[in-house]
Coordinates of all heavy atoms in Angstrom, one line a residue:
F15 N -13.9 40.2 -4.5 CA -13.6 39.7 -5.9 C -12.1 39.8 -6.1 O -11.4 39.1 -7.1 CB -14.3 40.3 -7.0 CG -14.4 39.5 -8.2 CD1 -14.9 38.3 -8.4 CD2 -13.9 40.2 -9.4 CE1 -14.8 37.6 -9.5 CE2 -13.9 39.5 -10.7 CZ -14.3 38.2 -10.6
A16 N -11.4 40.7 -5.2 CA -10.0 40.7 -5.4 C -9.3 39.3 -5.1 O -8.4 38.9 -5.8 CB -9.4 41.6 -4.2
T19 N -9.2 37.1 -8.2 CA -8.5 37.9 -9.2 C -7.1 37.6 -9.1 O -6.5 37.2 -10.0 CB -8.8 39.3 -9.2 OG1 -10.2 39.6 -9.3 CG2 -8.2 40.1 -10.3
R23 N -6.9 34.8 -11.7 CA -7.0 35.6 -13.0 C -5.7 36.2 -13.5 O -5.3 36.2 -14.6 CB -8.0 36.7 -12.9 CG -9.4 36.1 -12.8 CD -10.4 36.9 -12.1 NE -10.6 38.2 -12.5 CZ -11.5 38.4 -13.4 NH1 -12.2 37.5 -13.9 NH2 -11.7 39.7 -13.9
W24 N -4.9 36.8 -12.5 CA -3.6 37.4 -12.9 C -2.7 36.3 -13.3 O -2.2 36.6 -14.5 CB -3.1 38.1 -11.7 CG -3.6 39.4 -11.3 CD1 -4.8 40.1 -11.9 CD2 -3.2 40.3 -10.2 NE1 -5.1 41.2 -11.2 CE2 -4.2 41.3 -10.0 CE3 -2.3 40.2 -9.1 CZ2 -4.1 42.4 -9.2 CZ3 -2.3 41.2 -8.3 CH2 -3.2 42.2 -8.2
I27 N -3.7 35.6 -16.9 CA -3.5 36.7 -17.9 C -2.0 36.7 -18.1 O -1.4 36.8 -19.4 CB -3.9 38.0 -17.2 CG1 -5.4 38.1 -17.2 CG2 -3.3 39.2 -18.0 CD1 -5.9 39.3 -16.4
W106 N -6.3 46.0 -3.5 CA -6.5 45.6 -4.8 C -6.2 46.6 -5.9 O -5.5 46.3 -6.8 CB -8.0 45.0 -4.9 CG -8.3 44.4 -6.1 CD1 -7.5 44.0 -7.1 CD2 -9.7 44.2 -6.6 NE1 -8.2 43.3 -8.1 CE2 -9.6 43.6 -7.8 CE3 -10.9 44.5 -6.2 CZ2 -10.7 43.1 -8.6 CZ3 -12.2 44.1 -6.8 CH2 -11.9 43.4 -8.1
L107 N -6.8 47.8 -5.8 CA -6.8 48.8 -6.8 C -5.3 49.2 -7.0 O -4.8 49.2 -8.2 CB -7.5 50.0 -6.5 CG -7.5 51.1 -7.5 CD1 -8.0 50.6 -8.9 CD2 -8.2 52.3 -7.1
E110 N -3.2 46.3 -8.6 CA -3.6 45.8 -9.9 C -2.9 46.9 -11.0 O -2.5 46.5 -11.9 CB -5.1 45.7 -10.1 CG -5.4 44.8 -11.3 CD -6.9 44.2 -11.2 OE1 -7.7 44.7 -10.6 OE2 -7.0 43.2 -11.9
Y114 N 0.3 46.3 -13.9 CA 0.4 46.7 -15.4 C 1.6 47.6 -15.6 O 2.1 47.6 -16.7 CB -1.0 47.1 -15.9 CG -2.0 46.1 -16.0 CD1 -2.8 45.7 -14.9 CD2 -2.0 45.2 -17.2 CE1 -3.7 44.6 -15.0 CE2 -3.0 44.2 -17.1 CZ -3.8 43.8 -16.2 OH -4.6 42.8 -16.3
N187 N -19.7 47.3 -22.3 CA -18.7 47.1 -21.3 C -18.7 45.7 -20.7 O -18.0 45.2 -20.1 CB -18.9 48.1 -20.2 CG -18.0 47.9 -19.0 OD1 -18.4 47.6 -17.9 ND2 -16.6 48.0 -19.2
A188 N -19.9 45.0 -21.0 CA -19.9 43.5 -20.5 C -19.0 42.7 -21.3 O -18.7 41.5 -20.9 CB -21.4 43.0 -20.6
D190 N -15.8 42.4 -21.8 CA -14.5 42.7 -21.4 C -13.6 41.5 -21.5 O -13.9 40.5 -20.9 CB -14.4 43.2 -19.9 CG -13.1 43.4 -19.4 OD1 -12.2 43.8 -20.1 OD2 -12.8 43.0 -18.2
L191 N -12.4 41.7 -22.1 CA -11.4 40.6 -22.3 C -10.9 40.1 -20.9 O -10.6 38.9 -20.9 CB -10.3 41.1 -23.0 CG -10.5 41.2 -24.6 CD1 -9.1 41.5 -25.1 CD2 -11.0 39.9 -25.1
S192 N -10.5 40.9 -20.0 CA -9.8 40.4 -18.9 C -10.8 39.4 -18.1 O -10.4 38.6 -17.4 CB -9.4 41.5 -18.0 OG -10.3 42.1 -17.2
L193 N -12.1 39.5 -18.4 CA -13.0 38.5 -17.9 C -12.8 37.1 -18.5 O -13.0 36.0 -17.9 CB -14.3 38.9 -18.1 CG -14.9 40.0 -17.1 CD1 -16.3 40.4 -17.5 CD2 -14.9 39.6 -15.7
D243 N -12.8 52.8 -21.9 CA -12.4 51.7 -21.3 C -11.9 50.6 -22.3 O -10.9 50.9 -22.9 CB -13.6 50.9 -20.4 CG -13.1 49.7 -19.7 OD1 -12.0 49.6 -19.6 OD2 -14.0 49.0 -19.0
N244 N -12.5 49.5 -22.7 CA -12.0 48.5 -23.4 C -12.1 48.8 -25.0 O -13.0 49.4 -25.4 CB -12.7 47.1 -23.3 CG -12.6 46.9 -21.7 OD1 -11.5 46.8 -21.1 ND2 -13.7 46.6 -21.0
E248 N -16.5 47.0 -27.1 CA -17.0 48.1 -26.2 C -16.6 49.4 -27.1 O -17.4 50.4 -27.0 CB -16.4 48.1 -24.9 CG -16.8 49.3 -24.0 CD -16.4 49.2 -22.6 OE1 -15.7 48.2 -22.1 OE2 -16.6 50.2 -21.7
W277 N -3.1 48.2 -20.8 CA -3.8 48.4 -19.4 C -4.8 47.5 -19.2 O -5.8 47.3 -20.0 CB -4.2 49.9 -19.4 CG -4.5 50.4 -18.1 CD1 -5.8 50.8 -17.7 CD2 -3.6 50.6 -17.0 NE1 -5.7 51.3 -16.4 CE2 -4.4 51.2 -15.9 CE3 -2.3 50.3 -16.8 CZ2 -3.9 51.5 -14.6 CZ3 -1.7 50.5 -15.4 CH2 -2.6 51.2 -14.4
F278 N -4.8 46.7 -18.2 CA -5.9 45.8 -17.8 C -6.3 45.0 -19.1 O -7.5 44.9 -19.3 CB -7.1 46.6 -17.1 CG -6.8 47.0 -15.7 CD1 -5.8 47.9 -15.5 CD2 -7.6 46.4 -14.7 CE1 -5.6 48.2 -14.1 CE2 -7.2 46.7 -13.3 CZ -6.2 47.7 -13.0
V279 N -5.4 44.5 -19.7 CA -5.5 43.7 -20.8 C -6.1 44.4 -22.0 O -5.4 44.5 -23.1 CB -6.3 42.4 -20.6 CG1 -6.4 41.5 -21.8 CG2 -5.8 41.6 -19.4
S280 N -7.4 44.8 -21.9 CA -8.0 45.2 -23.2 C -8.3 46.6 -23.3 O -9.0 47.1 -24.2 CB -9.4 44.4 -23.2 OG -9.9 44.4 -21.8
D281 N -7.7 47.6 -22.5 CA -8.1 49.0 -22.5 C -7.7 49.6 -23.7 O -6.6 49.2 -24.4 CB -7.6 49.7 -21.2 CG -8.6 49.4 -20.1 OD1 -9.3 48.5 -20.1 OD2 -8.6 50.4 -19.3
K365 N -16.4 55.2 -18.7 CA -16.7 53.9 -19.1 C -16.1 52.8 -18.2 O -15.0 52.7 -17.9 CB -16.3 53.5 -20.6 CG -17.0 54.3 -21.7 CD -18.6 54.0 -21.8 CE -19.0 52.6 -21.7 NZ -18.6 51.8 -22.9
G366 N -17.0 51.8 -17.9 CA -16.5 50.6 -17.4 C -16.3 50.5 -15.8 O -16.4 51.5 -15.2
D367 N -15.8 49.3 -15.6 CA -15.6 49.0 -14.2 C -14.4 49.6 -13.5 O -14.6 50.2 -12.4 CB -15.5 47.5 -14.1 CG -15.6 47.0 -12.5 OD1 -16.8 46.9 -12.0 OD2 -14.5 46.8 -12.0
L368 N -13.3 49.5 -14.0 CA -12.0 50.1 -13.5 C -12.3 51.6 -13.3 O -11.9 52.1 -12.2 CB -10.8 49.8 -14.3 CG -9.5 50.4 -13.7 CD1 -9.2 49.8 -12.4 CD2 -8.3 50.4 -14.7
N369 N -12.7 52.3 -14.2 CA -13.0 53.8 -14.2 C -14.0 54.1 -12.9 O -13.8 55.0 -12.2 CB -13.6 54.4 -15.4 CG -12.6 54.7 -16.4 OD1 -11.4 54.9 -16.0 ND2 -12.9 54.5 -17.7
Y370 N -14.9 53.1 -12.7 CA -15.9 53.3 -11.5 C -15.2 52.9 -10.2 O -15.4 53.7 -9.2 CB -17.1 52.3 -11.8 CG -18.2 52.5 -10.8 CD1 -19.2 53.3 -11.1 CD2 -18.2 51.7 -9.6 CE1 -20.3 53.6 -10.1 CE2 -19.3 51.9 -8.7 CZ -20.2 52.7 -8.9 OH -21.3 52.9 -8.1
R371 N -14.2 52.0 -10.2 CA -13.4 51.8 -9.0 C -12.7 53.1 -8.6 O -12.5 53.4 -7.4 CB -12.5 50.6 -9.2 CG -13.3 49.2 -9.2 CD -12.4 48.1 -9.7 NE -11.3 47.8 -8.8 CZ -10.4 46.9 -9.0 NH1 -10.2 46.3 -10.2 NH2 -9.5 46.7 -8.2
D376 N -12.5 52.7 -4.9 CA -12.4 51.3 -4.7 C -12.6 50.9 -3.1 O -12.0 50.1 -2.6 CB -11.2 50.6 -5.2 CG -11.4 49.1 -5.7 OD1 -12.5 48.8 -6.0 OD2 -10.5 48.4 -5.6
R403 N -21.4 51.6 -16.2 CA -20.6 50.6 -15.8 C -21.4 49.3 -15.5 O -22.4 49.3 -14.9 CB -20.0 51.1 -14.5 CG -19.1 50.2 -13.8 CD -19.7 49.7 -12.5 NE -18.9 48.9 -11.7 CZ -19.0 48.7 -10.4 NH1 -20.0 49.0 -9.8 NH2 -18.2 47.9 -9.9
T404 N -20.9 48.2 -16.2 CA -21.5 46.9 -15.6 C -20.6 46.5 -14.5 O -19.4 46.6 -14.5 CB -21.4 45.9 -16.9 OG1 -20.1 45.6 -17.4 CG2 -22.3 46.3 -18.0
K406 N -18.3 44.6 -12.2 CA -17.3 43.5 -12.3 C -16.4 43.5 -11.1 O -15.3 43.0 -11.2 CB -16.5 43.7 -13.6 CG -17.3 43.6 -14.8 CD -16.3 43.8 -16.1 CE -17.0 44.3 -17.2 NZ -16.1 44.9 -18.2
S407 N -16.7 44.1 -10.1 CA -15.9 44.2 -8.9 C -16.9 44.7 -7.7 O -18.1 44.7 -7.8 CB -14.8 45.3 -9.1 OG -15.3 46.6 -9.1
D408 N -16.2 44.7 -6.5 CA -17.0 44.8 -5.3 C -17.7 46.2 -5.1 O -18.8 46.1 -4.4 CB -16.1 44.6 -4.1 CG -15.3 43.3 -4.2 OD1 -16.0 42.2 -4.6 OD2 -14.1 43.4 -3.9
A438 N -19.6 41.4 -9.0 CA -18.5 41.2 -10.0 C -18.9 40.4 -11.2 O -18.0 40.2 -12.0 CB -17.4 40.6 -9.2
Ligands
F6P501 O1 -9.2 41.9 -13.3 C1 -10.2 42.1 -12.7 C2 -10.9 43.4 -13.2 O2 -9.7 44.2 -12.7 C3 -12.1 43.9 -12.7 O3 -12.6 43.6 -11.6 C4 -11.9 45.2 -13.3 O4 -12.2 46.4 -12.7 C5 -12.1 44.6 -14.6 O5 -11.0 43.6 -14.6 C6 -11.8 45.4 -15.8 O6 -13.1 45.8 -16.1 P1 -13.4 47.0 -17.0 O7 -12.6 46.6 -18.4 O8 -14.8 47.1 -17.2 O9 -12.7 48.2 -16.5

Side-chain angles (χ1 to χ4, degrees):
F15 195 59
T19 300
R23 292 148 63 84
W24 288 357
I27 288 169
W106 183 18
L107 181 61
E110 200 158 27
Y114 288 93
N187 178 245
D190 168 42
L191 280 188
S192 75
L193 283 173
D243 186 6
N244 304 306
E248 179 171 0
W277 193 244
F278 283 67
V279 183
S280 40
D281 279 26
K365 290 295 317 288
D367 191 80
L368 176 65
N369 279 332
Y370 189 87
R371 286 168 69 191
D376 210 30
R403 178 250 190 163
T404 61
K406 299 180 207 158
S407 61
D408 305 316

